[in-house]
Amino acid sequence: MAKSPPLRLLWLQSGGCGGCTMSLIGAQGPDLVRSLEIAGVEIAWHPSLSEETGSEAASIINAIAEGREEIDIVCLEGSVMTGPNGTGMFHRMAGSDQSMMSVIEKVARRARYVVAVGSCAAFGGITAAGGNEVGAIGLAYDGKQAGGLLGEDFRSGSGLPVINISGCPIHPDWFTETIMQIGAGAFDERDMDDLQRPLNFAGHLVHHGCSRNEFYEFKASAQKLCDMGCMMENLGCKGTQARADCNIRAWNGSGSCLDGNYPCINCTAPEFEEPGHGFTKTPKISGIPIGLPTDMPKAWFVALASLSKAATPERLNRDATSDRLSALGEGKRRK
Amino acid sequence: MTKRIVMGPFNRVEGDLEVRLDSSEGQVISAEVTSPLYRGFEKMLVGKPMMDALVYSPRICGICSVSQSVAAAYALAGLGGRSVPPAGRHAVNLVHAVENLADHFTHFYLFFMPDFARDTYADEPWYQPVAERFAAVKGTAAKDALPARAAWMEMLGILAGKWPHTLSIQPGGSTRAISRSEKVRLGAIIAQFRLYLERTLFGDTLENVAGLFSADALWQWADQRASATSDFAMFLQVSRKLGLSKLGVSHNLHMSFGAYCLQEGHFLKRGAWQNGGPAVLALDRIREDISHAWYRSAGDASGPLNDFPVPDYDTSGDAYSWCKAPRLDGAPVEVGALSRLLVDGHPLLRELAANGANVEARIVARMLELALIVPQMEQWLAAIDTEERFIDHSPLAEDGEAAGLTEAARGSLGHWLRTRNGEIEHYQIIAPTTWNFSPRDAQGNPGPLEQALAGTPIREGEVEPVAVQHVVRSFDPCMVCTVH
Ligand code: SF4
Ligand code: SF4
């Protein structure tokens, strides 16, 4: 079989922090360059990686925007900046007098696949926090609201809506796997959840595989950041609602937020940036957390919790508020 | 006859950059540096619970996210009430150093060196091996460096949960206590990175490189390594051929807020440096000028604890950037690895920058920091007592004001905040590239890069002058930090 020509990928950045790119170049097994090769994807232009600068870069972008050059995949990192007053001039494309907003729209409408990389590009993300004076929105969402820059009914050349690889930042594998699926012609609507997020990560809850699951079962809770107990009751952990596989798929070789001893802030979800309470606090009504797992009757949860609390092994009670595990128990360590 | 060149989008810098040049007779006469993106973190933070600064501020920048956390944590710690236990201090320094060094490493391999693989240089005698090694994405260096960098970041999986945007760095230390076995694992990761640096980047031990105390010693070393594997020596040879020590010269004041807090002060000293000698670092004389930036003033312009410029996009006046112009006692200041080592007193850098900071000295300083800091990290790790606490949780004052000052890879970073009833009432950030890439101020003083670009040669027929690219990238600019 003849080898098909590589898929060409254009990557633009707008109202974001570059953290998704930085995370992505940390891809491991295989690294980013190998992953792209395996996926059969060639970079037409990427702001951090390509040689072309200035007018050379602009001519690549313009050729795509004007349809003179075909493009298979357009990725956006960072939110679309619509302000001030809808002009988009909070981000002007350097070297030109166009707003980035208009450039993004033009190239996205030419692409076979449009990928929002990170929660900024997907939903507006952190850039939309604090009253959003800059008018940050996502490609196909404005927070939880479908629409965004491209509109609710947008479909790219392949017939798919925007693929929202959300996360702040993304895990490198979320991107490389999606690209490999696209490259293999094996990515379609069945591979996305209701917010258009690839199931390669959104098919899980952060709670899955959390090393604190045993504490969760017995409602043995952490009190402060550094404790080993479950962080749902007091420290704002949203792992039971957050869709991502952070505790199954290691970050940076072996970590996760939870393993770092701080809570899940649900950064793959729209509007995570405005939780309405302190990120590391659990809002409660008469002592009961209001953000309980959504798919379980509240009364049952409360009843089960008080039962399991009564049955908590002493070891878990102690470790829940300690910064180290004592699974061995006193006196079992070899002296 | 002067000619105007507009360069942008400038890539292989973090974020967005535009540079406008007036040139005449083959050289740059004057430059204007523009940051065309504004996001508004300073406004975003007002009204938030004060501890949430630790969630928002790292997201100013995905490349120095830990530095932002450190600055925010120091600022919160400045409200009083916590003392970081030694193990926590070492852990935070390690996390911070991993990021800073990763930055130098990434800059060298992915951002700076690929320019020497440009066609412009195709006829140079040194071109072939350099192009094979450093061509963007396709060169052998990218294939070597990416896995080495990723393996290095495993430090942060263990010490900080994840990178970028960790929450592990707190005013009282680090949330993550490490065990005896994890300590050994961290040691192995450092050893592995050292091996890469010694075999591939330097072709010599870190100690030998850190001990190059004079320009003579450096050049002798580079000549000896001509045939061996040494990416750094390859840079030095190209630098000598192209005269990079004469390029991008600035005569600015340099400053460092001090890097890596130890019990006895900073590992790299805090201070200022000017014209070959120490200068005053009057922290209370820091102001941000907005005469040439798209803001109008609010607050009383008496310093970052009281000033609060608000965005005002209007292209009819003198303004040409979203970057403000921070000044120290009215003067523009250069910051970065070179500035840090000048302040700290490394004799090699003091000699290389004796006639002004330049492209070559800026790169050498970064490489030298790799050689200087990795051995320190080995010592900080060794000093961690795994039985000790890593964090202090004593309550912080809910009302107060404080500054958090640190050094990111690219230079001095400060967060200034005021809180009331546990909420943020005021927050101002001055990032390293805000200093380096600032526009003109009310006195007409150009920012450090604008100064450094004057006199840069332009080759016959060049549209994107390659020397300008070397100068700009020698600062390793980060534009998302710059305007935040
Ligand atoms: S999603 Fe997060 S990491 Fe990615 S660009 Fe936005 S702020 Fe940065
Ligand atoms: S800490 Fe969060 S993710 Fe882990 S078990 Fe508790 S609720 Fe689940």
Side-chain angles (χ1 to χ4, degrees):
Chain A
M1 205 175 81
K3 212 166 156 271
S4 45
L7 299 178
R8 286 171 52 79
L9 180 152
L10 171 70
W11 184 295
L12 296 179
Q13 290 174 328
S14 191
C17 77
C20 287
T21 285
M22 283 300 125
S23 183
L24 180 59
I25 64 173
Q28 287 184 296
D31 62 77
L32 178 61
V33 172
R34 278 296 283 153
S35 296
L36 291 170
E37 277 170 19
I38 291 165
V41 169
E42 183 185 271
I43 294 179
W45 193 71
H46 182 297
S48 308
L49 304 172
S50 297
E51 180 179 305
E52 297 87 354
T53 196
S55 57
E56 308 153 353
S59 71
I60 297 171
I61 298 168
N62 290 335
I64 292 167
E66 291 157 16
R68 284 181 282 115
E69 209 173 287
E70 288 189 10
I71 194 71
D72 297 294
I73 305 169
V74 164
C75 297
L76 175 68
E77 172 182 10
S79 51
V80 179
M81 309 290 282
T82 63
N85 306 318
T87 61
M89 293 311 256
F90 276 134
H91 189 191
R92 177 171 56 77
M93 181 166 122
S96 81
D97 45 23
Q98 319 170 68
S99 68
M100 240 358 234
M101 174 173 75
S102 65
V103 176
I104 293 164
E105 165 136 32
K106 282 184 217 148
V107 298
R109 296 208 185 275
R110 303 276 181 190
R112 284 179 56 214
Y113 296 89
V114 177
V115 182
V117 182
S119 294
C120 292
F123 309 120
I126 209 84
T127 316
N132 198 3
E133 68 162 345
V134 292
I137 60 171
L139 283 171
Y141 280 87
D142 175 1
K144 291 179 177 142
Q145 193 73 39
L149 175 75
L150 299 172
E152 199 172 346
D153 301 325
F154 172 82
R155 293 291 179 274
S156 61
S158 64
L160 287 181
V162 173
I163 302 165
N164 285 325
I165 308 180
S166 58
C168 186
I170 58 156
H171 187 294
D173 295 358
W174 301 348
F175 180 82
T176 53
E177 279 173 15
T178 305
I179 288 292
M180 286 177 199
Q181 277 180 275
I182 290 175
F187 189 93
D188 61 39
E189 305 231 17
R190 287 169 298 174
D191 296 301
M192 291 189 260
D193 77 355
D194 51 341
L195 289 164
Q196 298 155 217
R197 300 178 292 194
L199 293 181
N200 65 33
F201 70 95
H204 286 279
L205 293 176
V206 167
H207 185 61
H208 294 162
C210 176
S211 63
R212 289 154 205 264
N213 281 168
E214 194 185 22
F215 293 92
Y216 176 86
E217 285 167 36
F218 289 100
K219 297 292 158 294
S221 296
Q223 300 282 358
K224 44 196 191 317
L225 300 177
C226 79
D227 290 349
M228 303 309 294
C230 173
M231 292 186 270
M232 188 191 85
E233 196 177 353
N234 302 315
L235 296 173
C237 183
K238 295 193 169 152
T240 54
Q241 302 143 54
R243 277 184 248 165
D245 59 1
C246 300
N247 286 305
I248 301 170
R249 187 198 301 272
W251 282 79
N252 304 108
S254 64
S256 76
C257 293
L258 294 299
D259 281 339
N261 295 352
Y262 48 91
C264 170
I265 59 172
N266 200 4
C267 75
T268 57
E271 297 175 15
F272 89 96
E273 68 277 4
E274 285 292 342
H277 56 82
F279 280 99
T280 57
K281 299 253 158 64
T282 305
K284 296 178 197 174
I285 294 171
S286 49
I288 299 168
I290 55 172
L292 294 178
T294 41
D295 48 0
M296 184 176 183
K298 220 163 227 177
W300 273 100
F301 183 90
V302 173
L304 283 175
S306 60
L307 253 182
S308 60
K309 262 195 184 175
T312 310
E314 183 42 36
R315 165 178 63 87
L316 292 180
N317 261 335
R318 190 178 50 231
D319 288 359
T321 54
S322 149
D323 60 359
R324 288 166 179 82
L325 293 179
S326 62
L328 270 178
E330 290 299 321
K332 298 230 175 97
R333 183 182 258 184
R334 216 184 146 94
K335 291 273 155 55
Chain B
M1 201 186 75
T2 60
K3 214 177 101 199
R4 179 141 263 229
I5 303 177
V6 180
M7 293 175 77
F10 223 110
N11 70 330
R12 278 179 289 111
V13 304
E14 178 47 51
D16 267 68
L17 171 65
E18 176 179 292
V19 176
R20 286 191 298 276
L21 306 167
D22 283 330
S23 68
S24 167
E25 289 172 15
Q27 62 169 28
V28 175
I29 306 295
S30 75
E32 280 180 3
V33 174
T34 297
S35 301
L37 169 69
Y38 169 83
R39 288 171 301 155
F41 275 79
E42 290 161 336
K43 172 101 178 281
M44 189 188 295
L45 281 156
V46 172
K48 301 289 184 205
M50 65 189 204
M51 296 307 281
D52 283 359
L54 298 170
V55 173
Y56 292 106
S57 65
R59 290 172 167 86
I60 291 167
C61 178
I63 195 162
C64 68
S65 136
V66 163
S67 295
Q68 302 289 346
S69 297
V70 167
Y74 286 176
L76 289 165
L79 299 173
R82 293 196 187 177
S83 65
V84 182
R89 199 173 49 232
H90 292 312
V92 171
N93 283 339
L94 283 170
V95 171
H96 197 182
V98 171
E99 180 182 86
N100 282 344
L101 298 189
D103 229 344
H104 292 342
F105 187 84
T106 312
H107 175 258
F108 182 79
Y109 280 110
L110 296 186
F111 296 172
F112 185 74
M113 291 304 288
D115 284 327
F116 300 106
R118 286 183 172 282
D119 289 345
T120 328
Y121 291 130
D123 293 336
E124 303 283 341
W126 46 262
Y127 179 75
Q128 217 45 46
V130 171
E132 271 163 33
R133 183 87 187 123
F134 290 106
V137 187
K138 298 196 169 69
T140 55
K143 293 192 175 69
D144 290 347
L146 279 176
R149 179 186 175 282
W152 176 235
M153 301 315 265
E154 289 186 12
M155 292 283 289
L156 300 186
I158 298 171
L159 281 164
K162 78 158 198 294
W163 182 90
H165 306 341
T166 173
L167 243 179
S168 70
I169 294 164
Q170 297 279 324
S174 166
T175 56
R176 182 64 156 83
I178 61 160
S179 67
R180 286 164 58 82
S181 52
E182 285 165 339
K183 180 169 161 175
V184 179
R185 174 99 197 114
L186 291 166
I189 299 171
I190 299 180
Q192 180 180 239
F193 190 58
R194 179 189 262 271
L195 206 62
Y196 180 94
L197 297 180
E198 296 189 335
R199 281 198 185 147
T200 310
L201 179 63
F202 293 122
D204 199 353
T205 64
L206 300 186
E207 284 71 13
N208 282 349
V209 174
L212 295 169
F213 283 149
S214 70
D216 281 350
L218 177 75
W219 293 114
Q220 217 175 6
W221 180 90
D223 288 337
Q224 281 164 8
R225 246 144 222 86
S227 54
T229 307
S230 171
D231 292 331
F232 181 46
M234 203 178 232
F235 159 74
L236 288 171
Q237 278 138 19
V238 172
S239 179
R240 183 158 46 182
K241 295 270 165 47
L242 292 176
L244 298 187
S245 62
K246 304 226 159 42
L247 192 66
V249 179
S250 77
H251 296 277
N252 288 315
L253 186 58
H254 293 266
M255 112 184 143
S256 167
F257 284 164
Y260 312 118
C261 272
L262 309 175
Q263 190 150 24
E264 58 283 6
H266 293 101
F267 172 67
L268 293 175
K269 282 202 293 274
R270 174 177 291 183
W273 184 259
Q274 189 171 31
N275 304 330
V280 187
L281 175 53
L283 292 171
D284 59 337
R285 301 291 297 152
I286 292 173
R287 301 280 182 278
E288 285 198 284
D289 181 291
I290 52 167
S291 60
H292 291 71
W294 290 306
Y295 298 88
R296 83 194 122 75
S297 85
D300 69 4
S302 66
L305 269 172
N306 298 305
D307 201 4
F308 197 88
V310 292
D312 184 13
Y313 187 67
D314 174 8
T315 48
S316 62
D318 293 336
Y320 57 89
S321 184
W322 289 109
C323 180
K324 302 165 201 160
R327 296 292 185 258
L328 177 66
D329 212 359
V333 184
E334 178 168 339
V335 297
L338 174 61
S339 308
R340 267 196 299 278
L341 293 185
L342 288 174
V343 169
D344 197 63
H346 197 287
L348 173 62
L349 276 318
R350 287 189 174 177
E351 192 179 334
L352 292 183
N355 296 316
N358 56 72
V359 171
E360 180 178 276
R362 291 184 193 107
I363 307 302
V364 172
R366 285 196 190 93
M367 297 299 102
L368 223 61
E369 274 201 349
L370 280 160
L372 285 162
I373 305 296
V374 168
Q376 282 310 310
M377 294 175 71
E378 291 164 349
Q379 295 191 21
W380 297 334
L381 180 66
I384 288 180
D385 180 344
T386 54
E387 311 294 315
E388 286 295 316
R389 286 181 314 128
F390 281 66
I391 188 165
D392 173 21
H393 281 292
S394 316
L396 292 168
E398 298 211 322
D399 293 275
E401 54 183 42
L405 306 178
T406 189
E407 285 286 308
R410 298 169 168 84
S412 310
L413 170 67
H415 287 199
W416 286 261
L417 70 77
R418 188 164 57 250
T419 59
R420 187 175 298 272
N421 300 326
E423 277 186 4
I424 295 166
E425 194 178 69
H426 178 88
Y427 210 104
Q428 287 289 298
I429 300 144
I430 306 181
T433 307
T434 324
W435 290 95
N436 286 337
F437 281 32
S438 62
R440 282 161 177 71
D441 56 33
Q443 278 66 51
N445 296 313
L449 173 65
E450 293 182 333
Q451 276 182 37
L453 280 172
T456 303
I458 298 175
R459 296 170 163 226
E460 193 65 34
E462 272 188 323
V463 189
E464 311 291 340
V466 70
V468 170
Q469 299 185 48
H470 298 324
V471 175
V472 168
R473 295 199 184 96
S474 75
F475 286 89
D476 190 7
C478 175
M479 311 314 295
V480 290
C481 279
T482 304
V483 285
H484 37 269

